[in-house]
């Protein structure tokens, strides 16, 4: 069982797991990322995958989210819907995170999301919640 979160990265520069590992360890040496397993102080708390066009996951996932966003109706969501669709159109890769059972996992992941929002461009999506710009929920998707 797991809870999925994704960063839709529109930045032109490639991103690899090694880059994420180095960035997190510069922030706090207790972080580690080895073959997609994210740990803090030796305890597993999430799995990280980076998907790009042509890998089989990327295109299907983008199409699924595009359909969910396009299905949203109402004038109150029009601007956010347009922003999310534009981001999906520009997405170069997704950083998908399956959150494990570690009690502090969401707090620990804030370090990753903060780094991505500072260094990259894009939006964060959380299953059962919707799309975020930094910490602000801009488009709910339930």
């Amino acid at each position: 069982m797991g809870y999925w979160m994704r960063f839709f990265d529109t930045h032109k520069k490639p991103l690899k797991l090694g880059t994420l590992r180095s960035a997190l360890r510069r922030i706090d040496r207790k972080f580690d990322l080895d073959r997609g397993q994210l740990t803090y102080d030796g305890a597993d708390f999430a799995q990280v995958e980076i998907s790009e066009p042509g890998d089989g996951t990327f295109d299907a996932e983008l199409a699924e989210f595009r359909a969910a966003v396009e299905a949203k109706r109402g004038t109150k969501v029009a601007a956010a819907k347009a922003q999310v669709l534009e981001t999906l159109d520009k997405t170069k890769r997704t950083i998908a995170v399956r959150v494990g059972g570690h009690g502090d996992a969401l707090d620990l992941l804030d370090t990753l999301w903060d780094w991505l929002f500072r260094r990259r461009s894009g939006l964060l999506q959380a299953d059962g919640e919707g799309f975020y710009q930094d910490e602000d929920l801009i488009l709910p998707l339930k």
Side-chain angles (χ1 to χ4, degrees):
M1 194 152 179
Y3 175 77
W4 286 92
M5 300 176 80
R6 293 159 192 85
F7 187 82
F8 290 86
D9 185 6
T10 61
H11 200 281
K12 291 178 185 175
K13 187 176 179 182
L15 180 66
K16 301 295 179 198
L17 290 175
T19 304
L20 290 178
R21 178 186 186 273
S22 296
L24 291 170
R25 290 190 54 80
R26 274 194 305 275
I27 295 166
D28 185 334
R29 300 291 294 167
K30 291 182 181 180
F31 280 106
D32 202 3
L33 179 59
D34 184 32
R35 290 176 289 196
Q37 188 63 51
L38 188 55
T39 60
Y40 186 80
D41 202 17
D44 295 346
F45 72 94
Q47 293 174 322
V48 181
E49 301 170 5
I50 298 176
S51 294
E52 296 177 327
D55 70 7
T57 302
F58 179 86
D59 298 317
E61 203 167 56
L62 234 55
E64 180 182 323
F65 281 103
R66 172 170 277 296
V69 171
E70 286 175 342
K72 293 290 286 182
R73 300 286 178 242
T75 56
K76 290 183 179 181
V77 298
K81 180 177 168 179
Q83 179 184 356
V84 172
L85 289 172
E86 180 180 355
T87 298
L88 293 176
D89 287 343
K90 293 179 179 180
T91 296
K92 306 287 187 224
R93 71 204 53 77
T94 59
I95 298 89
V97 177
R98 182 171 177 244
V99 184
H102 192 285
D104 295 333
L106 292 175
D107 290 333
L108 291 170
L109 282 172
D110 281 344
T111 304
L112 173 62
W113 307 135
D114 289 346
W115 185 86
L116 286 167
F117 276 117
R118 277 194 320 272
R119 306 280 185 190
R120 312 295 288 190
S121 54
L123 294 174
L124 177 66
Q125 178 275 334
D127 282 357
E129 296 177 35
F131 284 87
Y132 287 83
Q133 174 65 55
D134 293 311
E135 294 180 14
D136 298 323
L137 179 64
I138 62 168
L139 185 67
L141 286 181
K142 305 255 177 187

